[in-house]
Amino acid sequence: MKQFWSPSSINKNKAMVEKLQNHGIVTSDEVAKAMEAVDRGVFVPDRSSAYIDCPMSIGYNVTISAPHMHAMCLQLLEKHLKPGMRVLDVGSGTGYLTACFAVMVGSEGRAIGVEHIPELVASSVKNIEASAASPLLKEGSLAVHVGDGRQGWAEFAPYDAIHVGAAAPEIPEALIDQLKPGGRLVIPVGNIFQDLQVVDKNSDGSVSIKNETSVRYVPLTSREAQLRGD
Ligand code: SAH
């Protein structure tokens, strides 16, 4: 069949960001720009449904979060993702959000992903290489590591922003320790009923916690428990 043109994935990605703006989920230019730059289509197994607002299976009993959840977390962390800042993404999965973080903090900043499934780390590196964040990966301001994210990633601590993409029964102490005073952690907490919690570290090292909204994430757990499907 003859086809003179087809909407490119970049246009579909831009349309997705516009919808998130129309719904009031994306409110800042910085978040919009990062989400426009990083094509979500490169990160999902089924490109044809990449721009639909739903979570999608990525194997290993886990999902890539829905675009509105990624957008909400980017907005909650926005003030802690300025150029030059340091961000940790725990449970980085496809690498999509790590790539958005990296674009926001830029080459002077640092974006670190930690993921406990080595195959997902390998595929996330391929995804990032095909995205606008590729130069940041090459120059080293963006990196993804295999590890248990409940321990954080001490090498580059303290962080201005920490995002956790899986629900913890309680907030891991190491993540609070690795947060900078003035920094912010966004983490889903709970088992069946979960709250997306926003944890701000005060200058005296104490923390203020507020519940943002009810959410449903896969568990932050051990690799064995995840692969068993507990
Ligand atoms: N934010 C990612 C993935 C969300 S799914 C995205 O949207 O693509 C949650 C991810 O957390 C999964 O990839 C899962 O393998 C990972 N995970 C769960 N427990 C973990 C742990 N203890 N340490 C590191 N990664 C973990």
Side-chain angles (χ1 to χ4, degrees):
M1 196 182 78
K2 206 169 192 175
Q3 194 175 36
F4 289 100
W5 63 275
S6 71
S8 74
S9 70
I10 294 295
N11 286 343
K12 287 187 189 164
N13 191 64
K14 195 167 183 351
M16 178 194 78
V17 179
E18 269 164 24
K19 287 197 195 91
L20 292 166
Q21 287 174 305
N22 294 342
H23 287 283
I25 300 161
V26 169
T27 53
S28 83
D29 285 352
E30 286 81 359
V31 170
K33 270 194 219 137
M35 291 187 78
E36 278 170 15
V38 179
D39 180 5
R40 193 179 152 86
V42 166
F43 289 83
V44 300
D46 172 15
R47 224 184 158 109
S48 67
S49 33
Y51 311 101
I52 298 170
D53 194 21
C54 343
M56 211 184 287
S57 172
I58 54 170
Y60 312 95
N61 292 324
V62 293
T63 54
I64 177 171
S65 301
H68 79 270
M69 279 315 305
H70 284 150
M72 186 186 286
C73 293
L74 284 164
Q75 279 301 149
L76 286 169
L77 289 167
E78 187 224 336
K79 293 198 169 48
H80 310 271
L81 296 170
K82 299 288 178 204
M85 290 187 167
R86 289 183 180 198
V87 50
L88 177 67
D89 186 21
V90 172
S92 46
T94 61
Y96 171 76
L97 209 49
T98 325
C100 292
F101 290 147
V103 165
M104 289 179 78
V105 300
S107 53
E108 301 299 308
R110 217 170 246 290
I112 303 293
V114 182
E115 164 60 53
H116 67 174
I117 305 290
E119 292 88 344
L120 283 177
V121 171
S123 60
S124 72
V125 167
K126 290 211 177 76
N127 298 341
I128 293 166
E129 279 169 351
S131 81
S134 176
L136 300 165
L137 184 71
K138 278 204 193 81
E139 70 193 29
S141 63
L142 163 55
V144 188
H145 299 282
V146 179
D148 185 344
R150 293 172 291 191
Q151 305 303 318
W153 194 261
E155 189 182 355
F156 300 110
Y159 297 94
D160 298 279
I162 301 179
H163 169 264
V164 183
E170 55 198 35
I171 302 174
E173 205 55 48
L175 299 184
I176 293 182
D177 290 346
Q178 291 176 23
L179 198 59
K180 225 178 240 184
R184 174 172 277 194
L185 160 68
V186 171
I187 177 170
V189 181
N191 294 307
I192 297 167
F193 298 101
Q194 304 163 4
D195 289 307
L196 188 66
Q197 296 196 338
V198 176
V199 181
D200 286 310
K201 193 177 236 185
N202 306 312
S203 47
D204 64 359
S206 64
V207 292
S208 312
I209 304 179
K210 89 174 186 319
N211 287 345
E212 185 63 28
T213 183
S214 300
V215 287
R216 192 78 205 256
Y217 279 73
V218 300
L220 184 74
T221 183
S222 70
R223 190 188 301 162
E224 296 70 32
Q226 181 176 316
L227 295 176
R228 275 199 311 267
D230 294 359

